[in-house]
Amino acid sequence: MKMWSGRFKDSLDAKADIFNSSLPVDKRLYKHDIMGSIAHCSMLGECGIIPQEDADLICKTLSDIFYDIKNAKLKVSGAEDIHMFIEEELTNRIGDVGKKLHTARSRNDQIALDFRMYLRDAVDTIAELLKNLIETLIDISGKNIDTVIPAYTHMQKAQPTTLAHYLMAYSEMFMRDIARLAECKNRINIMPLGSCACTSTSYPIDRRSVAKRLDFDGISENSLDAVSDRDFAIEFLNDCSILMMHLSRFNEEIIYWSSDEFGYIELDDKFSTGSSIMPQKKNPDMCELIRGKTGRCYGNLISLLTTMKALPLAYNKDMQEDKEVVFDTVDTVKICLEIFTAMLPTFKYNKEKLRIGAARGYTAATECADYLVKKGAAFRDAHSIVGRLVRYCSDVNKQLDEITIDEYRIFSDLFDSDIMSVVKPENVIQSRKAPGSPSEKAMKSEIKKAEKFLRTYFAISNE
Ligand code: ARG
């Protein structure tokens, strides 16, 4: 019989009962639900709303239930949702005293509490995984400050850069992801309990003591808002979608870098798969799966936005749909970060091909134009001179470091013999000294800053 069945003559249709139940999904909230209940019940005892000895017995039994579930001695099943399951189990164990737990509380504020507690843990876990990934990127970058690679715009060769510059670009994205999630956590970490069904309660509750016990930064200000707000979950899904977009772009590059056409990277056997028909194949399935799962995370975001878009105040059962999409995104982001961080150090870079890639395609043309400017030409004139020079090279099928100084001088007598060393990819790279550029000095400084970001962020969040 349902706990709420007092006003009903008939019981729920069997199929409707299954349809209504969220237990298969929300059972993963059991720890947070029990922690929340213990904090709530301690407050009820302290404020004299229920006798202290009843509060003590309830808290102790809740803790027993927690360990029994954790150690698989108690199977979570057969109830409408996780809240009902725990309460029913409590009452089975201690009888009437257990029935006092739900005083001054509704499942509406209870689920808001559980969900926020779950999500702030999820944010910490994901931030930690991002930290591992960034540390891996820093490590590989440190060893590749002088590995020359081509940079592209429009997927056409643009200018020479280094592998460190390229990998640290992704590290910047993942640092922003950490910062975004930390911001999101500020809004998650607000305590909604005491809002009850929708307009709070007349019991003399102490909401701040519950918030303090559960380590929240503050309490919600409006009970109608508190039970119907899922902004924090949408924001989390948004931040995870951006994170997955970064991972997906990275993996897209690895996929074509490992193709025969590019041949910049060789994938490790541990992270690639074969074909059931083509014996020669070595496919980048992990990268493709990460790219593919990005779409699924976007879907979860759009799903919850759509669920919420026409909901009147305050709680509506539609909101029960929030958990599945959030849990799915948490699981997806976690496994993608784990797999990717493990796979990253296994790539073998073909440094020779990368260097040739960086030297071909007239990637030093901008540097050539800048050279002329330094010798007194206006940039637009220099651009046009080098444009004609490139056309000539292309006609005679030679690269900028393969023509002679006399050929250079056909296009401008500002060219001296030093141009031959200026157009070398290594020199192009080292000539870029401004912060943000790939020269050794700028790269070392970027890496130092990334290390400092991790140290500062994780020192504060571990406080
Ligand atoms: N299982 C519900 C959910 O996830 C909990 C809140 C139910 N509240 C209610 N009034 N039926 O949203």
Side-chain angles (χ1 to χ4, degrees), residues 141-426:
S141 298
K143 295 176 188 141
N144 286 284
I145 287 189
D146 55 5
T147 304
V148 177
I149 71 165
Y152 295 82
T153 65
H154 313 267
M155 271 294 282
Q156 306 285 330
K157 295 253 178 72
Q159 293 172 341
T161 189
T162 66
L163 186 56
H165 194 224
Y166 166 88
L167 294 177
M168 288 307 289
Y170 281 102
S171 160
E172 297 294 333
M173 298 179 219
F174 297 129
M175 283 191 283
R176 288 199 292 277
D177 290 328
I178 290 181
R180 233 184 312 270
L181 283 165
E183 271 251 347
C184 175
K185 191 174 163 191
N186 291 336
R187 278 177 287 276
I188 293 173
N189 211 18
I190 300 294
M191 211 287 299
L193 213 64
S195 303
C196 300
C198 55
T199 63
S200 189
T201 181
S202 57
Y203 291 103
I205 53 172
D206 181 353
R207 298 187 59 212
R208 287 200 171 78
S209 85
V210 176
K212 203 161 164 220
R213 266 204 176 84
L214 294 174
D215 208 19
F216 277 92
D217 297 333
I219 58 172
S220 55
E221 293 297 337
N222 181 302
S223 61
L224 285 171
D225 176 47
V227 292
S228 63
D229 168 32
R230 291 296 181 271
D231 294 4
F232 62 91
I234 293 172
E235 201 176 331
F236 172 81
L237 291 177
N238 172 68
D239 295 353
C240 288
S241 297
I242 297 178
L243 188 176
M244 287 300 293
M245 178 264 289
H246 294 151
L247 269 184
S248 184
R249 291 180 67 180
F250 205 159
N251 280 278
E252 163 73 11
E253 301 210 79
I254 293 158
I255 291 166
Y256 67 76
W257 277 28
S258 64
S259 70
D260 187 50
E261 286 71 14
F262 275 80
Y264 291 167
I265 283 185
E266 198 197 323
L267 299 177
D268 197 88
D269 286 2
K270 283 200 188 69
F271 294 98
S272 27
T273 52
S275 155
S276 61
I277 174 168
M278 297 168 281
Q280 86 283 10
K281 292 281 265 170
K282 190 172 176 186
N283 292 330
D285 288 30
M286 307 304 133
C287 304
E288 291 166 291
L289 279 170
I290 294 171
R291 191 177 58 182
K293 284 174 191 292
T294 303
R296 173 183 176 137
C297 289
Y298 291 3
N300 289 339
L301 167 64
I302 297 300
S303 164
L304 188 53
L305 276 169
T306 313
T307 299
M308 296 302 295
K309 85 184 236 299
L311 294 190
L313 292 179
Y315 177 83
N316 299 271
K317 193 66 171 245
D318 315 43
M319 289 159 68
Q320 181 163 285
E321 292 296 307
D322 59 0
K323 256 82 67 200
E324 218 168 324
V325 288
V326 165
F327 294 166
D328 184 66
T329 285
V330 170
D331 295 346
T332 304
V333 167
K334 273 164 60 178
I335 187 72
C336 288
L337 284 170
E338 280 165 5
I339 290 279
F340 189 66
T341 305
M343 177 169 63
L344 200 53
T346 67
F347 299 148
K348 272 197 207 69
Y349 296 92
N350 187 333
K351 294 191 181 179
E352 204 186 309
K353 264 207 159 164
L354 282 162
R355 171 139 196 334
I356 294 168
R360 300 188 66 83
Y362 316 109
T363 55
T366 318
E367 196 58 28
C368 259
D370 293 340
Y371 171 95
L372 293 176
V373 171
K374 282 170 206 156
K375 300 254 169 162
F379 182 75
R380 272 293 151 244
D381 294 335
H383 186 290
S384 152
I385 292 167
V386 178
R388 273 177 273 131
L389 171 70
V390 166
R391 184 157 22 109
Y392 168 82
C393 288
S394 157
D395 288 346
V396 299
N397 199 18
K398 283 185 176 163
Q399 295 296 315
L400 286 171
D401 59 353
E402 291 168 348
I403 54 171
T404 63
I405 180 63
D406 293 336
E407 287 170 296
Y408 270 102
R409 290 178 73 92
I410 303 172
F411 298 90
S412 168
D413 48 19
L414 292 174
F415 282 121
D416 282 323
S417 57
D418 57 340
I419 186 64
M420 304 313 294
S421 87
V422 167
V423 296
K424 282 210 162 40
E426 288 76 7

Side-chain angles (χ1 to χ4, degrees), residues 20-22 26 80-83 106-108 111 230 315-323:
N20 187 49
S21 171
S22 57
D26 62 25
E80 187 177 321
D81 55 29
I82 188 62
H83 323 302
S106 152
R107 276 184 295 162
N108 298 352
I111 187 59
R230 291 296 181 271
Y315 177 83
N316 299 271
K317 193 66 171 245
D318 315 43
M319 289 159 68
Q320 181 163 285
E321 292 296 307
D322 59 0
K323 256 82 67 200

